[in-house]
Amino acid sequence: MDRDLVALLGFLGMFALMALRVPIGIAMGIAGVAGFAGLSGLKPGLNLLANVPLSVVTDYNLSVIPMFILMGAFASRSGMSTELFAAGRAWLGHLRGGLAMASVAACAGFAAINGSSVATAATMAQVALPEMRRAGYHPGLSAGLVAAGGTLGIMIPPSVILVLYGIMTETDITRLFAAGLIPGLLAVAFYFGVVQFIGWRRPDVMPRGQAHGWRERLASLRSLWAVLLLFVFVLGGIYGGLFTVEEAAGIGAAGTLLIGLARGRLGWAGIRAALIDTLRVSSAIMMIVIGAFLFGYFLTITQFTQKAVGFLVGLPIGPYGVLALIMLGYFVLGAIMDELAMILLTVPIVFPAMMQLGFDPVWFGVIIVMAVTFGMICPPVGINVFVINSIARDITLGRIYRGTMPFIAVDLVRLVILCAFPAISLWLPGLIR
Amino acid sequence: MRRLLSAAETVAALFLLLIALLTAGNVLLRDVFSVQIPDWYDGSRMLQGIALFWGLALATCYGSHICVDIVWEHLRPRGRRALDVAATAVTLAFLAPLAWMVWVKVGSTGTQGTMDLRLPLVNFYAVAAVGMTVAAVLAAVRLVLLLRGREALLEPPALDAPAAPKASDGP
Amino acid sequence: QDKPVELKFAHWLPANHSLARNGFEPWAKSVEAASKGSIKVVFFPSQQLGKAADHYDMARDGIADVTWANPGYQAGRFPLIAAGELPFLVAKPGPGSAALDAWYRRYAGTEMKDVKFCFAHLHVGTLHAKKPITEPGQLKGMKIRSSNGTNAQFMTLLGATNVQVSAPEARDALEKGVADAISFPWGSILSFGIDKAVKYHTDMRLYASDFAWVVNKGWYDKLGASQKKVIDDHCSNEWAAKVGAAWGDDEDSGQAKLEKAAGHTIVKLTPAQLDAWKKAAEPLYGQWVQGVDKAGANGKQALAELRKELDARKAGN
Ligand code: NA
Ligand code: NA
């Protein structure tokens, strides 16, 4: 059979299985194995199952996924997320949209000590969302804000998505981490702007809170030492040459546990809950990684990957035209499928094309994170929105999606700015060398 | 059985903690005392593989894999049940040969060992393979319970830890 | 006329790597020409079909038809061919590869029985550090990125600690100080940009890495008679020597480039210093003999035979 046709059938089969609500990783795995068997024979297809899954789960590079998630789980179980929000409220609470800005700031702070956007959104949905609602904030808007704020988890280092991108493309992960910091802070500024704008147009949906005295404010900062220490130690250790990025994840998790124990905030129950949370999330992620590898090997032998790269590079619309087309593609894909699967499947095609068109690999890592960001908060399938909906059951999906709209709008603006001025992403990594 | 699963989950989760401690301990010893923990690297890899395969087994049991709900959420309860049955059957059809092939891999590992202590990998792989076998079995169990309308038996046990303290509790 | 077939060749190097250009491609062109185009080689570089450590199994399993495998990535699985990794055993990569290949052919049928063994080759490398290294005792307490398992065991034996990073990450690890030294082939120090991080290169044959080209049996069995002959002719000791020399000499030419490069020092050893290194490496030879004995062959005898093959080609150290 014609290989292009087989590749097409593989994609169709995969999407059909996904629509049947077969787990995403398993849908990709079945399509990959079946396609490989169709082209190379049943035995080689089955043999993929002998090596690939075990090879993926025993890859030490991928330990950053469970470890950066575990770091966040320990941090939230030991109350660091609460402290972040409390500090934000003490300083910003009395302003227009104060609690909303406090939530964004807490998202950014929590993002600095964990690598996952879903974990950031879930944590802040438990810590910040109830407080905003109690203060009379619009529920949908508050939930939308937390969904968007959650995406900071993968933009501000450490970041699981940037690590995966770095592994897949052999791009220096330390430079990728540095590249995400300023775009992440830019997002904070833009989200503050959205809050101010809404608060100005509709003061009723974002009431002011009471002012906190200076003593309270300073006290709130004192409790942040743990977060600051972790962030500085983990990133400082990476850049100062104490350990590798992969090691940093394990060290960050162990360090967070140690601080939690030292402050008397973590008992066996809390530790066990954090560990099991992490196991559940990482296993679900790893199934997708396994599926993506199986499907990826299938795509490779159809030689679809190579052809698609050639096609993209050959388009007569200039490098930025191709970039715009790719981002549009991500927008559509991200709306309907899981972001991790999307990245794992597309980067092998898109990355070589972007490099041949002369774009910077580190800068493109930041752009990939933006693509993931949209997928996580855009309807109809946005994982952050689902996670928040599962925690705050009474806020419907539709209301949360409407709440994310203003933030998606400024994210679009931010994407254009990051494309127009690569220096925003590349200045900081440039200082390292 | 629930007790057994819960215990397995706790052990697999503890493996993750062990990875963090091995990594941190090794870096500390390396940077401060210039010594290393033998096989911390391969040891972490094996612990991770075992933990994640067992984690997959539990995700299969609890039905907590990441799925696309785009069709499912527009269906009535009967349609949803039909879709769940079909998806679980497909999952079983994937996990059963996967578990089988992981055992084939175990059989072909031979004398391969860890880098430092040359501990035979076949032992670690076998424990992971048991996890994948449990995953396939649990997919079958889930399918049977779904068909009988009793899948509620497989709800994951709640974590008995107090949630994080409320923001209003303190500064 | 044989039915045209495709030969899927998988490896984990970048497509423009020295070995890909000087080893894989000439071999593929020669196969295509000798088969009059009835065998078409398609390359899958950069781990496109599987992880580096899985390449032996990929040929066995039919994921690819021919793969380039590093048996040392699976410690303990192929105890005999691990001889190629022994420190200070081989000096010249071309004739050294020929010797290793000629010697290993006796054992390949049992040790690599689930594939069709094509040929084996090796390259040789040394230690590159931030300070001059002349004696084995200096390694105590140093953090080293090792090239393979045997080399890592040697470093541990000398009191050094091993830092685990991939080759592309190695430069970063050295620049930041996560690692103090690296064992690496000469030319790759330049091609990976590691010359920016380490300035002292000890002139010795510290380690070797060996590689095997392996063929899927089912794929080979289905070939026509003349196609089989083409593959047999290209799975020869001559090709082992050719590929070993093409890559190994290219790597070794890096030494002259580094010697000329500003700020770089080639650290020479006195005969006494070299003896100290060789003495320090002796336990590894003992371990290898033990491992081979356990696998059911005669380790001492096998080592003597390998040395004979090396001496016959003046490839020893
Ligand atoms: Na982060
Ligand atoms: Na999405």
Side-chain angles (χ1 to χ4, degrees):
Chain A
M1 210 181 342
D2 177 48
R3 280 174 173 164
D4 295 337
L5 185 63
V6 177
L8 185 72
L9 285 175
F11 271 112
L12 288 178
M14 178 183 75
F15 283 124
L17 288 173
M18 283 183 190
L20 275 178
R21 205 159 178 267
V22 172
I24 292 171
I26 290 177
M28 290 193 288
I30 291 176
V33 170
F36 204 98
L39 289 171
S40 294
L42 182 62
K43 253 182 89 182
L46 281 176
N47 279 333
L48 275 181
L49 292 176
N51 264 325
V52 176
L54 205 54
S55 206
V56 168
V57 292
T58 56
D59 185 341
Y60 185 73
N61 288 320
L62 292 177
S63 73
V64 292
I65 294 176
M67 290 301 112
F68 276 140
I69 293 173
L70 183 58
M71 188 180 172
F74 280 144
S76 103
R77 292 273 167 188
S78 63
M80 290 185 195
S81 46
T82 313
E83 286 166 347
L84 280 162
F85 181 68
R89 177 160 67 179
W91 287 85
L92 303 166
H94 61 290
L95 301 172
R96 183 161 63 205
L99 281 189
M101 291 195 292
S103 302
V104 171
C107 282
F110 195 68
I113 52 169
N114 93 100
S116 147
S117 125
V118 173
T120 307
T123 303
M124 287 304 149
Q126 291 169 54
V127 173
L129 190 55
E131 300 293 326
M132 283 194 278
R133 298 183 70 185
R134 198 170 305 153
Y137 277 55
H138 185 274
L141 201 57
S142 307
L145 172 111
V146 172
T151 65
L152 294 173
I154 47 169
M155 186 59 98
I156 293 177
S159 160
V160 164
I161 294 289
L162 284 176
V163 170
L164 275 177
Y165 173 85
I167 293 172
M168 277 194 289
T169 63
E170 302 203 329
T171 306
D172 186 346
I173 295 167
T174 57
R175 301 192 66 206
L176 286 168
F177 277 6
L181 189 59
I182 295 179
L185 296 177
L186 194 64
V188 172
F190 276 29
Y191 293 167
F192 275 10
V194 171
V195 169
Q196 286 308 308
F197 181 78
I198 295 174
W200 168 58
R201 295 302 302 263
R202 297 185 54 192
D204 55 309
V205 303
M206 289 190 168
R208 279 169 199 264
Q210 63 188 88
H212 293 251
W214 282 100
R215 263 182 60 191
E216 238 175 297
R217 288 183 181 175
L218 293 175
S220 79
L221 285 190
R222 264 210 304 280
S223 64
L224 288 186
W225 66 266
V227 172
L228 202 66
L229 179 70
L230 277 172
F231 179 69
V232 169
F233 178 64
V234 168
L235 287 205
I238 293 174
Y239 293 106
L242 290 178
F243 35 74
T244 64
V245 175
E246 290 80 11
E247 292 166 346
I251 290 166
T256 314
L257 170 67
L258 202 68
I259 292 177
L261 286 175
R263 299 168 94 189
R265 301 259 185 95
L266 277 176
W268 164 240
I271 295 174
R272 177 169 173 270
L275 287 171
I276 288 182
D277 271 343
T278 305
L279 180 71
R280 288 184 185 167
V281 175
S282 333
S283 306
I285 290 179
M286 215 51 85
M287 188 65 239
I288 293 179
V289 178
I290 292 170
F293 268 98
L294 290 169
F295 193 78
Y297 294 145
F298 157 61
L299 271 194
T300 305
I301 59 157
T302 65
Q303 293 174 20
F304 171 85
T305 315
Q306 298 87 320
K307 277 183 206 155
V309 172
F311 170 77
L312 281 176
V313 173
L315 284 176
I317 51 178
Y320 283 93
V322 176
L323 177 65
L325 192 70
I326 287 172
M327 289 314 292
L328 197 69
Y330 276 141
F331 216 93
V332 174
L333 262 186
I336 56 167
M337 82 184 279
D338 178 78
E339 288 65 40
L340 191 64
M342 170 179 91
I343 293 305
L344 290 167
L345 286 182
T346 58
V347 162
I349 299 169
V350 166
F351 180 78
M354 295 313 283
M355 293 309 104
Q356 286 179 40
L357 291 169
F359 288 104
D360 183 278
V362 173
W363 167 83
F364 191 60
V366 174
I367 300 302
I368 283 284
V369 171
M370 289 297 306
V372 171
T373 295
F374 288 119
M376 289 182 144
I377 56 178
C378 277
V381 180
I383 184 79
N384 281 15
V385 174
F386 288 169
V387 164
I388 291 168
N389 174 251
S390 74
I391 291 166
R393 277 284 175 204
D394 58 321
I395 315 180
T396 63
L397 285 175
R399 291 183 84 187
I400 307 179
Y401 280 128
R402 274 198 297 283
T404 60
M405 286 307 154
F407 300 98
I408 293 173
V410 291
D411 277 345
L412 271 174
V413 175
R414 181 160 57 108
L415 173 64
V416 172
I417 292 177
L418 291 177
C419 289
F421 304 101
I424 297 173
S425 312
L426 295 177
W427 176 71
L428 201 55
L431 290 185
I432 302 170
R433 284 280 131 85
Chain B
M1 189 176 90
R2 291 180 63 94
R3 270 240 178 103
L4 212 63
L5 286 179
S6 172
E9 188 171 40
T10 305
V11 173
L14 276 173
F15 280 15
L16 294 182
L17 179 62
L18 220 52
I19 297 170
L21 295 179
L22 262 180
T23 304
N26 184 66
V27 168
L28 187 74
L29 289 173
R30 182 185 73 204
D31 287 0
V32 180
F33 303 104
S34 295
V35 290
Q36 62 193 345
I37 301 173
D39 270 337
W40 73 274
Y41 184 81
D42 279 344
S44 299
R45 290 194 318 117
M46 292 303 124
L47 288 172
Q48 176 176 309
I50 293 169
L52 290 174
F53 266 19
W54 279 88
L56 285 176
L58 292 150
T60 308
C61 170
Y62 300 150
S64 58
H65 281 295
I66 300 174
C67 303
V68 175
D69 292 340
I70 202 161
V71 173
W72 188 83
E73 67 182 1
H74 289 102
L75 295 176
R76 289 157 191 276
R78 268 192 67 180
R80 288 187 176 182
R81 169 164 303 274
L83 214 55
D84 282 346
V85 168
T88 308
V90 172
T91 302
L92 176 61
F94 179 73
L95 292 180
L98 172 53
W100 179 264
M101 291 312 294
V102 176
W103 282 110
V104 170
K105 168 80 181 176
V106 170
S108 72
T109 302
T111 49
Q112 198 183 337
T114 55
M115 248 349 157
D116 299 333
L117 302 174
R118 295 292 157 97
L119 307 171
L121 289 195
V122 63
N123 299 342
F124 299 104
Y125 285 175
V127 179
V130 173
M132 194 45 85
T133 310
V134 171
V137 170
L138 288 175
V141 170
R142 190 174 175 81
L143 184 61
V144 170
L145 291 178
L146 266 170
L147 286 169
R148 293 187 177 173
R150 298 185 60 192
E151 73 276 13
L153 281 176
L154 295 179
E155 283 291 303
L159 299 173
D160 50 353
K166 296 239 161 34
S168 49
D169 288 352
Chain C
Q1 185 62 36
D2 290 319
K3 208 178 95 201
V5 293
E6 192 178 76
L7 187 165
K8 293 196 283 285
F9 190 119
H11 62 87
W12 65 90
L13 298 170
N16 59 358
H17 186 276
S18 161
L19 176 61
R21 282 182 288 109
N22 302 316
F24 301 154
E25 281 167 26
W27 186 86
K29 284 214 179 79
S30 177
V31 164
E32 289 182 345
S35 70
K36 301 195 183 66
S38 86
I39 300 177
K40 187 175 172 292
V41 182
V42 184
F43 283 110
F44 294 93
S46 312
Q47 312 194 64
Q48 276 178 7
L49 283 180
K51 296 232 154 67
D54 291 337
H55 273 63
Y56 175 86
D57 291 329
M58 285 155 54
R60 180 195 65 189
D61 294 346
I63 309 299
D65 306 318
V66 179
T67 65
W68 179 66
N70 182 339
Y73 283 168
Q74 300 186 311
R77 182 167 176 194
F78 305 103
L80 273 145
I81 202 173
E85 294 178 353
L86 288 170
F88 303 107
L89 183 64
V90 184
K92 295 192 188 107
S97 294
L100 177 73
D101 178 73
W103 167 81
Y104 188 64
R105 280 176 188 276
R106 280 164 237 169
Y107 304 105
T110 44
E111 188 164 277
M112 298 193 177
K113 59 177 178 299
D114 31 30
V115 294
K116 176 183 158 56
F117 172 77
C118 186
F119 61 81
H121 62 104
L122 51 75
H123 75 207
V124 194
T126 187
L127 195 69
H128 312 265
K130 293 181 180 183
K131 58 179 190 191
I133 301 288
T134 51
E135 281 162 44
Q138 284 175 277
L139 293 192
K140 196 169 169 50
M142 281 180 71
K143 292 174 282 185
I144 297 177
R145 193 271 178 189
S146 298
S147 49
N148 60 36
T150 305
N151 184 231
Q153 279 183 324
F154 190 20
M155 297 297 108
T156 308
L157 196 65
L158 297 178
T161 56
N162 290 300
V163 176
Q164 306 271 2
V165 288
S166 65
E169 279 178 288
R171 169 184 163 177
D172 197 54
L174 287 160
E175 277 184 340
K176 304 241 169 70
V178 179
D180 308 316
I182 181 171
S183 58
F184 224 51
W186 287 95
S188 293
I189 285 286
L190 291 155
S191 59
F192 281 85
I194 297 173
D195 56 317
K196 304 208 167 52
V198 286
K199 304 289 179 190
Y200 296 93
H201 318 272
T202 309
D203 188 10
M204 59 177 168
R205 303 309 249 171
L206 176 74
Y207 83 92
S209 281
D210 47 13
F211 306 90
W213 294 38
V214 290
V215 183
N216 176 260
K217 277 187 167 167
W219 178 84
Y220 176 79
D221 289 342
K222 277 194 208 125
L223 294 178
S226 58
Q227 287 171 325
K228 276 186 180 150
K229 184 168 184 313
V230 170
I231 295 300
D232 290 342
D233 291 346
H234 284 80
C235 287
S236 63
N237 190 256
E238 288 70 44
W239 271 101
K242 219 187 285 190
V243 170
W247 183 24
D249 292 351
D250 190 50
E251 288 288 358
D252 285 345
S253 71
Q255 178 169 357
K257 285 180 204 153
L258 283 166
E259 195 151 22
K260 275 186 228 142
H264 284 271
T265 309
I266 310 295
V267 181
K268 301 281 178 191
L269 297 185
T270 66
Q273 284 167 335
L274 188 60
D275 275 347
W277 281 98
K278 286 183 179 172
K279 206 168 174 88
E282 264 166 22
L284 293 170
Y285 283 73
Q287 282 173 20
W288 181 84
V289 167
Q290 264 181 12
V292 170
D293 286 347
K294 234 166 79 184
N298 185 331
K300 271 211 171 106
Q301 191 193 329
L303 187 59
E305 286 169 4
L306 176 56
R307 284 214 155 101
K308 217 167 95 192
E309 297 284 358
L310 286 164
D311 290 345
R313 293 170 177 82
K314 297 194 169 46
N317 205 339

